[in-house]
Amino acid sequence: MTTALVARGVSLGYRDRLVVRDLDLEVPPGRFTAIVGPNACGKSTLLRGLARLHPLAGGVVTVEGDDAASLSRRELARRVAVLPQSSTAPDGVRVAELVARGRYAHQGWFARPSAADDEAVARAMAATGVADLAERRLEELSGGQRQRVWIAMVLAQETPAVLLDEPTTYLDLTHQVDLLELLVGLNRERGTTVVAVLHELNLAARYADHLVVMASGSIVAQGRPGDVLTEEVVRRAFGLDAAVVPDPVSGGPLVVPRGGTRSVR
């Protein structure tokens, strides 16, 4: 099976400052990969580089064996759906209209939406629990509701791979779990390759098949969460003294900060 997404010698940065340096990454196809690491370590920049939303300062990214730079925007959008960290929509756009924009890569330039497009939009809204919001304007919704609408738009694209940058932002714990369960279901039922940048380390360890731990623009460790998430890796990547114990629910690794006693005055 062809690896869905591969980065070779990739460097990324802003002006004269490199954030990611000479990084190699193979995303396992048909798996759920979570990218974790401390703030400003380069994980979101890496995801944007994989999605061709950020120009490479060096190296190459391939999608199903093809150089991503050689693909048209429309062809890339048929293979990879992306939810950036910050998304904007026109004022007054309704939920169903926004989700339907996920179908543009499957339509001709002047084609009207087909029955297949309508069905994909309906499936995506049902899966994310926003079907009852179809006629609401996006600006009328809460932050959590808006986030689920954006995710519905990405799911409506129905691509072999989905990249999400901090998709649990604005969601409370219940909706974080609901979303991760949704992504796992998408991965298991459709074989969709899922790559998500996540902040919550223990949720990433519970739901991901493959964990990529970053620090200072490099990959510290990657592999199965149970193999990768050790006390030493947590210390190197996060500078955190923590115990890694079995999760009482999943049996996977659970990071428990040891911490100290600090008086508050």
Side-chain angles (χ1 to χ4, degrees):
M1 180 181 293
T2 303
T3 302
L5 288 162
V6 176
R8 292 290 184 222
V10 163
S11 295
L12 296 148
Y14 301 89
R15 295 188 176 89
D16 297 328
R17 182 174 64 92
L18 287 181
V19 177
V20 173
R21 292 177 179 272
D22 197 25
L23 182 145
D24 291 334
L25 173 67
E26 292 191 14
V27 174
R31 306 286 291 280
F32 184 170
T33 294
I35 303 175
V36 299
N39 290 340
C41 73
K43 53 188 184 294
S44 291
T45 303
L46 172 60
L47 193 85
R48 289 174 59 82
L50 292 175
R52 217 175 78 184
L53 296 178
H54 192 95
L56 302 184
V60 64
V61 171
T62 60
V63 180
E64 297 176 343
D66 296 322
D67 186 340
S70 71
L71 301 174
S72 69
R73 287 288 181 186
R74 186 172 291 265
E75 176 57 31
L76 184 62
R78 292 192 186 104
R79 304 190 194 190
V80 181
V82 186
L83 179 65
Q85 193 172 128
S86 298
S87 301
T88 58
D91 291 342
V93 70
R94 297 183 185 276
V95 167
E97 294 170 343
L98 183 62
V99 177
R101 294 187 180 202
R103 299 299 301 165
Y104 87 96
H106 302 279
Q107 300 166 351
W109 290 109
F110 302 105
R112 295 177 62 83
S114 66
D117 293 326
D118 293 339
E119 290 167 5
V121 169
R123 280 194 298 271
M125 290 197 296
T128 52
V130 299
D132 60 334
L133 304 175
E135 296 305 315
R136 296 274 300 277
R137 289 184 172 84
L138 193 68
E139 62 263 28
E140 298 173 350
L141 307 182
S142 69
Q145 289 173 322
R146 285 196 298 270
Q147 188 74 344
R148 285 188 283 144
V149 172
W150 284 112
I151 291 165
M153 186 189 73
V154 168
L155 298 188
Q157 209 165 321
E158 294 193 335
T159 52
V162 173
L163 309 184
L164 306 108
D165 192 0
E166 300 185 23
T168 54
T169 300
Y170 306 122
L171 302 181
D172 59 29
L173 182 58
T174 298
H175 286 116
Q176 288 183 45
V177 171
D178 286 346
L179 172 61
L180 291 169
E181 294 279 358
L182 169 65
L183 294 176
V184 168
L186 182 72
N187 170 251
R188 301 289 187 268
E189 294 164 18
R190 300 185 192 175
T192 302
T193 299
V194 177
V195 184
V197 170
L198 297 175
H199 264 302
E200 177 48 64
L201 188 56
N202 285 326
L203 287 179
R206 175 176 290 191
Y207 286 101
D209 303 307
H210 188 78
L211 200 62
V212 177
V213 183
M214 292 186 65
S216 302
S218 299
I219 294 176
V220 174
Q222 62 178 314
R224 293 177 59 253
D227 297 332
V228 165
L229 211 54
T230 65
E231 293 185 12
E232 175 59 23
V233 167
V234 172
R235 186 177 298 108
R236 285 175 57 198
F238 295 91
L240 179 66
D241 182 22
V244 179
V245 300
D247 185 318
V249 175
S250 69
L254 180 69
V255 177
V256 182
R258 289 193 173 92
T261 57
R262 178 179 298 177
S263 62
V264 179
R265 297 181 182 178

